[in-house]
Amino acid sequence: MTELGELTKIGVKYHTDKAWQKKHTETYSKIFDERGIDRNSEINFLEVGISHGCSHLMWYDYFKNANIIGLDIWKIDEYYNKPDLTPNDEIKYFTDTDGEKKDKLEYIKHLLKEKDSRLHLFEGCQTDVSGFRLLRAIYNDMHVIMDDASHIDDKTKETFLHAFPLLVSGGIYIIEDLESFGSKVQRKVIKDFAYWKDNGKFNYLENFDDIESAELIHSGGRYMFGLICKK
């Protein structure tokens, strides 16, 4: 049995489906290595769509010197308090290295209040350009951008239009949940990665001049994500 990598172990700790279900974390680790991004890199990591913050805590724990930035249409409290989003105990709590059971929402609030905190949350819609302009003004550039928001074609397309220009040269852009099943299948985006493979350009997403490569990656059986690298 192959030993789990450190990113996956941390992801399981915080119960993000990127680790325990989709197995994306093992592939992400390889991609980070290939792009020269290690755990001590001083980077800006933007996650669009954070839900209960499980993966946000994973990124915070894994990247020791990175700013971990989240953008979501709802405040983190709303995810924990809305009746239709009530989390189970695996999402509400985690066990720290000392074996102590901790409340995840309270831990996130604590990190946000820390002096020189590396964890940052912003309320905003993934299609609203003003939110990305604000992030540009505060952080200048991003090294990794991950779209894990609505998983709806048109919104994914608009997010890419606004967010990709924020990437530094050599940065990576990830579009999650490009499976061919589920309630919010991104059919146009999935087809566009196939179009890129055959034509070296997109037919649906924006064709920025500084796109180095685009690839649809299978990382956990039927689970897929899109990887777009910047020159």
Side-chain angles (χ1 to χ4, degrees):
M1 182 176 178
T2 304
E3 183 178 355
L4 296 177
E6 193 61 27
L7 180 60
T8 300
K9 291 177 183 177
I10 296 171
V12 170
K13 170 184 172 181
Y14 292 116
H15 198 68
T16 170
D17 61 1
K18 290 176 174 61
W20 65 266
Q21 183 182 35
K22 300 173 183 176
K23 305 297 190 296
H24 286 341
T25 45
E26 294 295 299
T27 309
Y28 287 156
S29 294
K30 296 176 183 177
I31 293 170
F32 294 145
D33 288 343
E34 291 170 357
R35 303 298 290 186
I37 301 172
D38 62 38
R39 294 193 65 180
N40 296 309
S41 295
E42 295 182 3
I43 62 172
N44 293 326
F45 189 116
L46 172 61
E47 187 171 27
V48 183
I50 66 167
S51 186
H52 295 90
C54 300
S55 61
H56 220 53
L57 287 175
M58 174 184 71
W59 302 126
Y60 178 86
D61 213 342
Y62 184 76
F63 291 112
K64 300 297 184 181
N65 298 305
N67 284 312
I68 306 301
I69 305 147
L71 178 70
D72 201 290
I73 196 168
W74 288 337
K75 295 179 181 178
I76 190 73
D77 303 64
E78 294 179 298
Y79 277 106
Y80 282 84
N81 296 323
K82 282 175 69 74
D84 57 332
L85 292 171
T86 302
N88 57 31
D89 281 359
E90 289 181 315
I91 290 179
K92 288 175 66 176
Y93 305 103
F94 72 95
T95 303
D96 68 11
T97 53
D98 297 324
E100 181 182 352
K101 186 177 181 180
K102 288 188 174 181
D103 184 291
K104 200 174 291 182
L105 177 58
E106 293 305 313
Y107 181 59
I108 290 173
K109 289 181 176 180
H110 165 73
L111 292 177
L112 291 171
K113 292 178 181 178
E114 277 191 340
K115 183 181 179 181
D116 300 323
S117 174
R118 297 186 295 105
L119 194 72
H120 314 272
L121 298 182
F122 294 85
E123 186 179 359
C125 179
Q126 71 177 109
T127 60
D128 185 355
V129 67
S130 64
F132 295 100
R133 286 173 177 165
L134 175 62
L135 295 176
R136 167 77 84 183
I138 296 173
Y139 302 102
N140 192 25
D141 294 310
M142 300 293 169
H143 299 79
V144 180
I145 298 176
M146 181 169 291
D147 178 359
D148 192 16
S150 67
H151 311 308
I152 296 172
D153 275 323
D154 291 348
K155 292 184 178 182
T156 298
K157 177 181 180 178
E158 197 162 351
T159 302
F160 182 65
L161 174 66
H162 299 325
F164 187 80
L166 272 64
L167 278 178
V168 298
S169 176
I172 60 176
Y173 192 101
I174 294 168
I175 302 175
E176 283 225 323
D177 297 334
L178 292 182
E179 296 83 49
S180 57
F181 62 92
S183 61
K184 296 180 179 179
V185 177
Q186 301 169 87
R187 291 183 175 86
K188 294 179 182 178
V189 176
I190 293 170
K191 288 181 179 178
D192 221 24
F193 277 90
Y195 190 88
W196 176 283
K197 184 177 180 181
D198 294 335
N199 300 279
K201 62 180 180 179
F202 287 127
N203 185 49
Y204 178 68
L205 296 173
E206 186 73 17
N207 278 302
F208 292 104
D209 292 336
D210 50 359
I211 295 176
E212 175 186 309
S213 61
E215 182 180 2
L216 189 62
I217 295 178
H218 298 251
S219 63
R222 59 182 183 171
Y223 296 101
M224 301 184 290
F225 63 86
L227 173 67
I228 304 170
C229 297
K230 193 169 186 177
K231 292 179 182 176

